[in-house]
Amino acid sequence: MTLDETLQAAFAAAFPGEDFSGVRVLPATDPKFGDYQCNDALKLAKKMKTNPREVAAKVVAALDRAAFEKVEIAGPGFLNLTVSAAWLNAQLATLSAQPRCGIPPRGAGKTVVIDYSSPNAAKQMHIGHIRSTVIGCALDRIFRALGYTVVADNHLGDWGTQFGILIKGYRDCLTDEERANLTVATLEKCYVLSAAKAKEPDGVWKDACRAELVKLQQGDAENLALWKRFIDISIGEFERMYRKLGVKFDTYRGESYYNAMMPGVVEKLRRMGLAEESEGALIVNLDAEKLGVAIVRKSDGGYNYTTSDLACVESRVADYHPERIIYVTDDRQQLHFRQFFSIAAKMGHTVKLVHVPFGLMSYQGKAISTREGNLIKLDDLLREAVRRSLAIVAPRGGDEQLAEQIGIGAVKYADLSHDPATAIDFNWDKALALEGNSGPYLQYAYARVCSLMEKAGEGGTDGGSGAPEPLPKDGLFRVATPSEKRLALQLLEFPGAVVRAAEAYKPSVLADYLFQTAQLYSSFYQNSPILKSEPAVRAARLRLCALFGDILKTGLNLLGIETPNHI
Ligand code: ARG
């Protein structure tokens, strides 16, 4: 029985006939109050309009005390709970015997589509793309760990007026050699040249771009083939970045995939009486919800972002039957998502639609902008991360592979340790610090557990080639000292932290948990001799270390961060 269930049973016995499934036991806010607390007596008393301390007393009288060393009623009616060592040891044993460190299979049988990264084609990825990619990837891994079937979908920006400009530029701004060895960098250059010419006052170039676009839209074979080539080259380049970042998509259905479905969507909106004509355009009026007006067909007959996302929902529902769809984009797109979620609901879609907006990222204290010239390419950022990490690990004998694991991990953690909703600043010193809340600090904590295990001769590592051997799984847990107990209680919270991270769509919840856990481990480690203790204590403490190691590794991997055995 879980502590929640134990308390629920006590409430039910004391007050028969009520529903107590919502009763919860929470970690104590301060260890001096005990290990856990339950605040539900207060809530119940409020509802019953009676004295909360009396309610609490009745619950305590009915409580099965097996798990507890001490139960106290505090203040206006809080229940402060101190668990027994026997209970704690048994819980640790149960947790360490569970697969995936006890992450519950909450999502079994459910599908979730996660739409993330989604850069625009024919441009190199830059530092601004990191947040969607890294946050989306962590959510992807967290939901998979919870048993969901995840469809990781890269909703590429692969359609629109820029392709007219690109095709014209490809034909008339590039050399034969550039055309033969086309890269994303060349496409970018070609776009800049062509877009500049499209601004010339005579409008000739601009008209030519538009003519190429119209040909493409009408399915002209040559233009379609060119467009396809641009997309393939872009995806090839993006995948090179994704490989570095350990990100993998199940599909790359870009905006163009939904083109053919857009007239149908608009027709449906019209039939349902949701869309109306306005100055030649077709709009959905969302004034009643204070969301303004969404254009679903422009006056020139073209469709837009809203229409494409509506078609996309329909298609995803038909193909994957998802329970929810999660979109990870920057917070400037909030209005777009609110509008289109509202329209989708009016159209009868019941799938849960979730926007995970993230704040802007600045770089070393400066806003990132094309004009400032600090629109750093993602490739360069990752290269720099590896270069700086190599400088740290090389003196200790670390190689390029280790530098990659640390550098990329540091970049990811610098993002994931912040609530996605906040704006963040990327700073090299902070990201790569070996002390403090950083990726390298947590990786280092893991490596230290590995070397401890190695010294203890109980599994550990195979000597650094990468494949970890199983950490010890036997020996009894014997939690005794305060620092041991605090670590133990914290380790038991791991499955809950993963669930909370998913429920809030915030990998930062898990990152916070891991950082706190590593700090508690470090104070346990400083206070408790391990290898030199007498055999039973030694074995018990090693097991606690092993469980910490397992949890840290599992948790970091959920954030997409690798865990080398040696640093
Ligand atoms: N391509 C868009 C951008 O670069 C993001 C697309 C997000 N996904 C979506 N279904 N709208 O901002």
Side-chain angles (χ1 to χ4, degrees):
M1 226 205 265
T2 64
L3 290 184
D4 282 348
E5 287 161 355
T6 307
L7 265 289
Q8 286 163 7
F11 272 87
F15 300 96
E18 300 263 349
D19 171 21
F20 291 111
S21 55
V23 167
R24 289 286 174 272
V25 175
L26 309 166
T29 44
D30 185 327
K32 70 172 182 272
F33 300 136
D35 304 323
Y36 295 97
Q37 65 188 50
C38 174
N39 307 336
D40 289 86
L42 286 169
K43 291 185 203 154
L44 179 62
K46 206 175 216 172
K47 204 172 115 197
M48 293 182 12
K49 300 199 170 60
T50 56
N51 179 339
R53 283 192 73 100
E54 272 166 33
V55 171
K58 278 196 182 154
V59 173
V60 171
L63 184 67
D64 173 359
R65 304 285 281 256
F68 305 108
E69 189 182 287
K70 198 162 88 190
V71 177
E72 276 176 344
I73 301 171
F78 297 113
L79 291 176
N80 287 345
L81 310 163
T82 304
V83 291
S84 70
W87 180 86
L88 194 50
N89 292 331
Q91 293 295 309
L92 290 168
T94 308
L95 179 63
S96 68
Q98 276 168 2
R100 295 167 302 126
C101 299
I103 301 170
R106 289 263 180 119
K110 293 183 202 149
T111 297
V112 38
V113 177
I114 310 185
D115 174 325
Y116 67 98
S117 194
S118 310
N120 293 329
K123 284 191 197 159
Q124 300 185 78
M125 287 175 87
H126 59 76
I127 185 169
H129 291 110
I130 194 132
R131 296 208 77 187
S132 177
T133 310
V134 165
I135 296 168
C137 170
L139 290 175
D140 178 339
R141 287 164 179 256
I142 289 170
F143 276 86
R144 276 180 218 261
L146 286 163
Y148 288 87
T149 300
V150 173
V151 180
D153 191 357
N154 195 325
H155 192 82
L156 290 179
D158 64 355
W159 199 252
T161 46
Q162 72 268 36
F163 287 96
I165 300 172
L166 274 166
I167 292 174
K168 172 73 179 150
Y170 173 86
R171 296 197 200 284
D172 297 316
C173 301
L174 297 184
T175 62
D176 284 345
E177 204 189 316
E178 283 171 325
R179 273 192 289 267
N181 306 304
L182 205 56
T183 62
V184 177
T186 318
L187 283 172
E188 213 164 43
K189 175 184 141 194
C190 149
Y191 179 84
V192 172
L193 291 172
S194 180
K197 290 195 170 203
K199 288 205 182 90
E200 283 167 5
D202 64 8
V204 176
W205 193 278
K206 191 171 175 198
D207 289 346
C209 292
R210 178 152 306 154
E212 296 291 9
L213 181 67
V214 171
K215 269 171 77 185
L216 174 67
Q217 287 166 336
Q218 289 169 347
D220 171 79
E222 228 173 283
N223 278 11
L224 261 183
L226 272 182
W227 167 80
K228 179 90 183 25
R229 192 163 161 229
F230 299 167
I231 303 303
D232 288 346
I233 289 170
S234 305
I235 292 181
E237 173 65 15
F238 297 155
E239 286 196 324
R240 201 169 63 79
M241 293 302 111
Y242 296 144
R243 271 194 298 278
K244 286 193 180 192
L245 288 167
V247 180
K248 220 174 159 298
F249 288 94
D250 298 300
T251 74
Y252 284 88
R253 286 187 179 171
E255 288 174 32
S256 67
Y257 182 84
Y258 306 99
N259 280 346
M261 303 166 212
M262 296 210 265
V265 168
V266 168
E267 192 40 47
K268 194 162 167 186
L269 285 169
R270 203 201 276 279
R271 236 188 4 244
M272 293 178 83
L274 293 169
E276 57 193 87
E277 297 278 346
S278 168
E279 296 168 32
L282 202 64
I283 62 158
V284 180
N285 191 325
L286 299 167
D287 273 341
E289 291 139 80
K290 297 201 167 56
L291 292 177
V293 158
I295 299 175
V296 289
R297 202 193 58 214
K298 295 183 276 186
S299 50
D300 66 4
Y303 302 103
N304 62 12
Y305 198 33
T306 306
T307 331
S308 145
D309 261 330
L310 287 169
C312 175
V313 169
E314 205 146 281
S315 158
R316 285 173 175 165
V317 167
D319 288 353
Y320 309 121
H321 312 289
E323 180 238 359
R324 62 185 116 176
I325 307 178
I326 301 169
Y327 302 81
V328 187
T329 80
D330 73 64
D331 55 16
R332 291 169 300 183
Q333 297 196 28
Q334 294 209 53
L335 180 62
H336 162 72
F337 282 102
R338 285 201 194 120
Q339 287 185 333
F340 116 70
F341 287 179
S342 158
I343 302 172
K346 289 187 209 296
M347 291 177 83
H349 289 299
T350 50
V351 56
K352 192 166 160 194
L353 301 173
V354 184
H355 182 211
V356 179
F358 54 81
L360 287 184
M361 181 159 107
S362 54
Y363 179 73
Q364 306 265 68
K366 282 205 184 121
I368 296 167
S369 82
T370 329
R371 248 172 296 144
E372 302 287 327
N374 64 347
L375 199 65
I376 297 152
K377 283 184 229 149
L378 187 53
D379 204 10
D380 293 340
L381 182 87
L382 299 181
R383 245 189 261 270
E384 177 71 2
V386 177
R387 192 188 67 78
R388 289 184 185 240
S389 307
L390 196 58
I392 297 171
V393 300
R396 306 163 177 236
D399 58 8
E400 180 90 11
Q401 191 203 351
L402 182 63
E404 260 171 41
Q405 291 176 310
I406 293 181
I408 307 278
V411 167
K412 289 183 173 182
Y413 191 84
D415 188 328
L416 297 173
S417 54
H418 294 92
D419 184 328
T422 57
I424 60 169
D425 182 52
F426 183 83
N427 174 286
W428 284 114
D429 292 337
K430 199 160 169 251
L432 287 167
L434 281 175
E435 290 300 323
N437 194 4
S438 73
Y441 168 74
L442 292 176
Q443 287 174 318
Y444 186 55
Y446 179 74
R448 280 206 325 209
V449 178
C450 289
S451 56
L452 174 70
M453 292 302 152
E454 220 173 340
K455 266 194 222 145
E458 299 199 27
T461 73
D462 60 356
S465 73
E469 277 175 30
L471 295 167
K473 292 272 184 214
D474 47 9
L476 291 175
F477 284 103
R478 290 162 196 260
V479 171
T481 67
S483 66
E484 224 168 357
K485 188 171 185 188
R486 292 203 58 197
L487 174 62
L489 288 166
Q490 174 78 359
L491 293 177
L492 295 182
E493 294 303 310
F494 177 67
V498 176
V499 169
R500 278 188 294 119
E503 280 173 351
Y505 306 101
K506 291 184 194 301
S508 55
V509 169
L510 180 56
D512 286 348
Y513 167 84
L514 294 175
F515 179 55
Q516 279 167 22
T517 311
Q519 284 178 307
L520 290 175
Y521 175 77
S522 155
S523 91
F524 153 74
Y525 188 80
Q526 275 159 26
N527 288 311
S528 325
I530 298 175
L531 298 179
K532 294 204 169 79
S533 294
E534 52 110 350
V537 173
R538 181 184 191 270
R541 289 192 171 152
L542 279 172
R543 247 198 117 179
L544 200 59
C545 296
L547 183 56
F548 165 68
D550 268 355
I551 284 177
L552 185 57
K553 183 184 176 75
T554 306
L556 284 173
N557 290 168
L558 290 181
L559 297 178
I561 296 173
E562 293 193 45
T563 42
N565 296 341
H566 284 275
I567 289 190

